[in-house]
Each structure stands twice: as C-alpha cells, then as structure tokens.
Amino acid sequence: MRQTTEHDPAPDRPVDFPEFAAGAGPHLVRTAFLLTGGDAHLAEDLAQETLGRMFAKWRTVSRLANPTGYARTTLVNTFLTHKRRRSSGEHVTDTFTETPVSDTDPALRLTLLRGLARLSPQDRAVLVLRYWEDRSVEETAVVLKVRAGAIRTRSGRALERLRAVLGTELAELGAK
C-alpha cells in the first residue's frame, strides 16, 4: 500500500479497499481499544463500523491525500456517537479478557486503561489522540472538530482528572 501524507498529491490509482483495511485495521482496533477504556469487543465493533463506513464511500475516500487520517476521524466520531446513544444495553465491566501483553510493565498499562475508562468519552478521545497517538494539538482539533485552544484546555483538564482518578496508584507503580 502506498502511504501518502497530507502534503503528497493524491495517488495516481486508488488503493484497493481490502489492502487499505488490512493495513489500517489493526491500528484502528488499538486506538479504539484505548478509546473504549479496554473493551476489546467494543473496540473491534467500532473499528469494523469505521471500515464499513469507509467502504461505502471508498471511491471518494481512496482519492484523498490521507485516507488513514480520514479513518481515524471516522473512528473517533463513531466512538463519540456510540457513547451518546442511550439505547446501548451493554455494560462495561472492569474485567479484561486474557490476552498476552507485550509491554514491559503490564500493571502500568492496566492502571492507565482503568483510569481512561473512568474519564468522559471526550476526555478519553483527547488524551488518546494527543498522547497515545502522539498527534499535535492541531491534528487533534481537526479530528474532534473543535478549536486548537479547546484541545489545549481539555488536554490539561483531562490529565488532571486522570491523575485524580489514579491517585496514588500511578506513584506506587513508578516506585517499582
């Protein structure tokens, strides 16, 4: 798959959707996993819904300079829409499926996931995009369709809320 950036012209020929989905799918699932606070099943559902929406518009989307950026924006919007729906009969639990973790410190990862799960969906989206995805303030603002100043404010407040939620857990993990 030919990777393009926002500064590259659109590719001469559109990338096939299966090729795009195979390359972008795992990244979308990882991002959705963080957005959902560790709900692997919901993360897969959100990523699948995102790819479904992209498939419906693939003829147009494939000609964009950055279809991956479009996918990320669609994923965040799908997540926020899901959180706004009141009809969802599913309930989030604090248990995780047993999956192998390749991180060097799984306790830290689980603590952060628990903390993220206790934040509002908007705070979670800002923190995941800014710090996990390492996106700039401007990129995050574009994805969430708000001004850059709002992202700076929400980032600071969301970090404060995350620190308050984690309390001494984070300090204890750092001491290990």
Side-chain angles (χ1 to χ4, degrees), residues 26-44 46-47 75 79 95-97 99 101 103 109-110 113 116-117 124 128 132:
H27 179 71
L28 290 172
V29 171
R30 280 191 304 273
T31 300
F33 184 77
L34 293 167
L35 288 170
T36 62
D39 186 340
H41 299 290
L42 179 57
E44 291 173 358
L46 291 173
L75 175 67
F79 165 71
T95 58
F96 297 95
T97 58
T99 55
V101 177
D103 290 348
R109 179 184 175 91
L110 292 175
L113 285 173
L116 283 172
R124 227 178 301 159
V128 167
W132 185 270

Side-chain angles (χ1 to χ4, degrees), residues 47-146:
Q48 183 176 5
E49 187 172 340
T50 297
L51 290 172
R53 289 179 181 186
M54 291 193 64
F55 180 74
K57 298 178 180 181
W58 187 245
R59 181 171 281 188
T60 304
V61 173
S62 66
R63 288 178 170 73
L64 294 175
N66 187 4
T68 304
Y70 184 88
R72 187 174 32 259
T73 300
T74 303
L75 175 67
V76 171
N77 290 336
T78 302
F79 165 71
L80 293 173
T81 299
H82 172 79
K83 294 310 282 183
R84 281 190 292 264
R85 285 188 209 138
R86 302 255 184 226
S87 63
S88 176
E90 297 180 22
H91 300 284
V92 177
T93 66
D94 61 349
T95 58
F96 297 95
T97 58
E98 293 188 28
T99 55
V101 177
S102 61
D103 290 348
T104 57
D105 191 359
L108 176 61
R109 179 184 175 91
L110 292 175
T111 300
L112 289 173
L113 285 173
R114 276 194 305 272
L116 283 172
R118 293 170 56 192
L119 296 178
S120 73
Q122 291 82 6
D123 285 347
R124 227 178 301 159
V126 168
L127 291 179
V128 167
L129 290 171
R130 283 283 293 126
Y131 302 107
W132 185 270
E133 293 275 320
D134 198 26
R135 302 288 166 210
S136 70
V137 170
E138 291 75 21
E139 288 175 316
T140 304
V142 168
V143 169
L144 296 177
K145 297 178 184 170
V146 297

